[in-house]
Amino acid sequence: MDLRAAIADERRRVADLVDSLQPNQLDAPSLCGEWTVKEVAGHLLAACGNVKPSLGLIARSGFRLHVVNARLAVQTADRPAAELAQALRDNADNPFEAPLVGHPGQLTDLQVHSQDMRRPLGLPHGLRLERLRVSLDFMTSGRAYGFAPRRRLSGLRFEASDLNWFSGVGELVVGPAEAVLLAMCGRTAVLGELDGPGVRTLRSRLH
């Protein structure tokens, strides 16, 4: 798969989504922590690599990277929605490769966050199975820094019912690839879409 082309396409899909939403939808809570739908889009723009945090923001965040990223997302989203969407389109083909997680991590970030935006609004988005396979492989590769602590996935066997994909040894967690991926990334909203004795264990690790 051409990962850069897949990343560009997902960025354009997010831009189209932002353009289609009303103000109350943009301000709605996402599945991602305390971020609104629009702030998730701000994070995805910042993740393109050309939005840099100021030294002041870094200092105010106590030099903690996760705090810097969270605040940068909010700051980046503080612009008109149309401008945010256009910036995502302008950066769709940005060749920046994120440190440590690389292009597989960037594709995973886009797929997970697009559902963080869409699911609370009741807007389905058919993620492509071949791209979900890349993200599932990434999540179980040992390189998913910042996506899931290893303890969350350890001792569990994950299976995607709509893909010939599985990974791990232990209690079974099975369901659609999208739900498996989102659960790996800590989204409790999808646990009802999963089956197997491992779901209870996974649920306990997400609370």
Side-chain angles (χ1 to χ4, degrees):
M1 179 188 298
D2 185 339
L3 288 183
R4 284 178 55 181
I7 288 168
D9 182 57
E10 292 294 341
R11 285 174 178 159
R12 293 187 181 101
R13 289 188 182 198
V14 173
D16 290 344
L17 173 63
V18 171
D19 268 340
S20 73
L21 298 179
Q22 299 299 315
N24 64 310
Q25 293 175 303
L26 290 164
D27 292 335
S30 74
L31 292 185
C32 188
E34 297 180 355
W35 282 347
T36 65
V37 167
K38 189 181 181 188
E39 287 165 350
V40 173
H43 161 73
L44 292 174
L45 176 58
C48 292
N50 68 341
V51 179
K52 305 296 183 182
S54 66
L55 291 176
L57 177 61
I58 294 172
R60 290 194 302 273
S61 302
F63 300 92
R64 292 169 293 174
L65 182 59
H66 68 285
V67 177
V68 172
N69 287 337
R71 292 180 175 177
L72 184 61
V74 174
Q75 178 178 295
T76 305
D78 189 22
R79 61 180 73 187
E83 182 180 327
L84 185 60
Q86 188 58 51
L88 281 163
R89 291 192 186 92
D90 292 343
N91 282 277
D93 293 299
N94 189 320
F96 171 73
E97 184 170 6
L100 299 178
V101 300
H103 288 136
Q106 288 170 284
L107 179 60
T108 301
D109 201 44
L110 281 157
Q111 293 191 97
V112 171
H113 283 315
S114 69
Q115 299 306 80
D116 285 339
M117 300 167 73
R118 288 176 177 273
R119 278 177 168 259
L121 300 176
L123 300 173
H125 173 44
L127 297 176
R128 298 187 180 181
L129 288 176
E130 68 271 19
R131 296 178 186 175
L132 283 168
R133 184 186 297 277
V134 171
S135 292
L136 290 171
D137 285 339
F138 166 73
M139 290 298 300
T140 55
S141 68
R143 295 182 55 207
Y145 308 110
F147 287 81
R150 291 191 179 185
R151 177 187 172 278
R152 180 185 295 162
L153 310 185
S154 66
L156 297 174
R157 175 185 173 87
F158 292 93
E159 293 185 6
S161 56
D162 49 356
L163 280 173
N164 183 23
W165 182 93
F166 60 87
S167 181
V169 177
E171 296 179 318
L172 177 64
V173 176
V174 60
E178 178 190 319
V180 172
L181 175 61
L182 290 174
M184 286 179 170
C185 292
R187 294 348 185 231
T188 58
V190 302
L191 291 177
E193 300 171 36
L194 303 174
D195 291 308
V199 174
R200 181 176 180 180
T201 298
L202 182 58
R203 185 186 301 274
S204 70
R205 295 175 181 178
L206 296 181
H207 288 89

